[in-house]
Amino acid sequence: MDATLKIGGSLAEEPARLRALCRELSEMARNHRITAVPGGGRFADVVRELDERFHLQNTVAHNMAILAMDQYGIFLSSITPGSRTTCTLDEARQHSEAGLIPIFLPSRLMSQADPLPHSWEVTSDSITAYIAGELRSEKLVLVTDVDGIYTADPKDNPAAELIQEISVADLSTLDARTSVDRYLSEIIAKARLDCYVVNGRYPERVRAILKNELPRCTRIRA
Amino acid sequence: MDATLKIGGSLAEEPARLRALCRELSEMARNHRITAVPGGGRFADVVRELDERFHLQNTVAHNMAILAMDQYGIFLSSITPGSRTTCTLDEARQHSEAGLIPIFLPSRLMSQADPLPHSWEVTSDSITAYIAGELRSEKLVLVTDVDGIYTADPKDNPAAELIQEISVADLSTLDARTSVDRYLSEIIAKARLDCYVVNGRYPERVRAILKNELPRCTRIRA
């Protein structure tokens, strides 16, 4: 697999831009073998709310959060031409070989393999990284609604600067609340993934990464 | 089956009351063969929001809304002692025979049988009525966060009165926006279900219905 891309849930807040991204992904799938993995979006927010109010068991919250990714994946597939939802690694490989874009619904694989801790430190970032590893992806691309990882939260701090490149060791000690989950660095290190965090509101940046260029984004070195 | 009960998603807004209801349901399952079917709750609201913003195909929205019921069902099971999630009618019968409370996750059955129109006129009310029919339930109980069906919306109109009993024919012509979905009357009539709309914030009312008493609620005559 050339790349496994997480399509962040927050991108659904801007329909026109998300549709443009999904159209672009279909185009990219003609020249690159790629697999898309959905974020959890507002479905995962509902799980968080229920967890806050009911103090769910970790495993229950974990499984519900993964089902939230299935939900968002079904939605993404409905707006992505040439996409196919799939639950298996083999089928993902077949679809991407055929120039289609598989959208991976992770709940079945995650309940069978159960490879990650059941906690909120594991979100769709880590789950996508795990799938990228299983698919032997050359690249892991976390497509989100910000330009990458910043030195501080850019919404609160106008002095925050985009980190263009960071080692996985530095990422794991980074104190600032970043746009990626806390468990990600462990999987990137283990699977030796070449990882990028990029703003999906600018599809050309995603395309540039697939073409081995380095657009505005954060690159995480394994 | 003595009764199939829909547990409305809005009940999750009051954790202590929902927990009390779920504990009561476990108690009731010792003396009555009952099956619970989840509403969609805030998960279904997220589907509605996506539908409004992206104008989804009806079938996509329908399938996502049903998956929202699975989500809420997994949650309900985690707070209901002696409950078991299930996807099949046979297993639901077995669990309820054993004094357990099956929580029916409808996505598999609904995708296989696909018996209902794909529109927002079909919600978890109609889906629960369909399952009640398949289980040959004596009663269908829609457990919600209001006392029953009113002559007008009681939140807007202080003169609104609770309808204690209504025929299914009258329900289908009722103009007021009611607390049940628009397709329900068709299924109730077809399956000749004895149907109740009751406030789950008062579990004793649910228990009364199972004991063939008539508490404060709306009864719909098939």
Side-chain angles (χ1 to χ4, degrees), chain B:
Chain B
M1 195 69 58
D2 294 332
T4 297
L5 303 96
K6 181 193 113 162
I7 313 301
S10 54
L11 291 162
E13 303 304 314
E14 292 178 278
R17 282 182 186 266
L18 180 57
R19 283 185 186 282
L21 173 66
C22 290
R23 278 193 303 270
E24 279 287 320
L25 288 173
S26 302
E27 288 293 318
M28 294 175 208
R30 294 186 186 188
N31 302 313
H32 304 275
R33 290 172 306 150
I34 58 179
T35 292
V37 180
R42 291 203 192 176
F43 294 107
D45 294 339
V46 175
V47 179
R48 278 178 206 274
E49 286 165 21
L50 284 173
D51 192 21
E52 276 162 24
R53 272 182 286 155
F54 287 87
H55 312 291
L56 303 176
Q57 300 143 42
N58 287 343
T59 295
V60 171
H62 182 74
N63 291 341
M64 290 179 74
I66 292 173
L67 209 54
M69 295 173 65
D70 281 17
Q71 275 276 44
Y72 188 61
I74 292 168
F75 158 70
L76 279 179
S77 182
S78 78
I79 63 166
T80 306
S83 66
R84 298 285 185 278
T85 57
T86 177
C87 305
T88 72
L89 299 164
D90 275 347
E91 210 175 61
R93 290 187 196 99
Q94 288 161 19
H95 289 322
S96 63
E97 289 285 348
L100 299 169
I101 178 159
I103 297 186
F104 201 95
L105 309 186
S107 70
R108 197 198 295 181
L109 177 68
M110 298 308 286
S111 72
Q112 285 167 351
D114 197 21
L116 303 176
H118 300 182
S119 97
W120 284 110
E121 293 198 356
V122 171
T123 72
S124 51
D125 296 329
S126 287
I127 290 168
T128 306
Y130 169 77
I131 293 167
E134 294 296 297
L135 290 170
R136 297 177 199 279
S137 280
E138 285 174 29
K139 294 186 173 74
L140 165 66
V141 187
L142 303 175
V143 185
T144 176
D145 66 342
V146 292
D147 286 355
I149 299 172
Y150 283 80
T151 51
D153 189 336
K155 282 161 196 159
D156 301 338
N157 190 338
E161 282 177 31
L162 181 72
I163 299 171
Q164 293 188 295
E165 195 160 318
I166 187 169
S167 73
V168 76
D170 287 346
L171 176 65
S172 62
T173 60
L174 200 66
D175 240 11
R177 188 185 161 283
T178 70
S179 49
V180 298
D181 75 41
R182 296 194 70 84
Y183 194 77
L184 180 68
S185 51
E186 204 154 319
I187 306 181
I188 292 178
K190 204 181 287 175
R192 302 197 65 76
L193 289 160
D194 186 21
C195 176
Y196 302 80
V197 182
V198 62
N199 193 334
R201 299 163 72 235
Y202 305 95
E204 66 276 15
R205 296 184 190 171
V206 180
R207 187 186 281 273
I209 291 170
L210 293 184
K211 289 162 81 178
N212 295 318
E213 297 164 4
L214 200 59
R216 183 170 172 81
C217 69
T218 297
R219 182 179 190 178
I220 306 169
R221 288 191 320 276

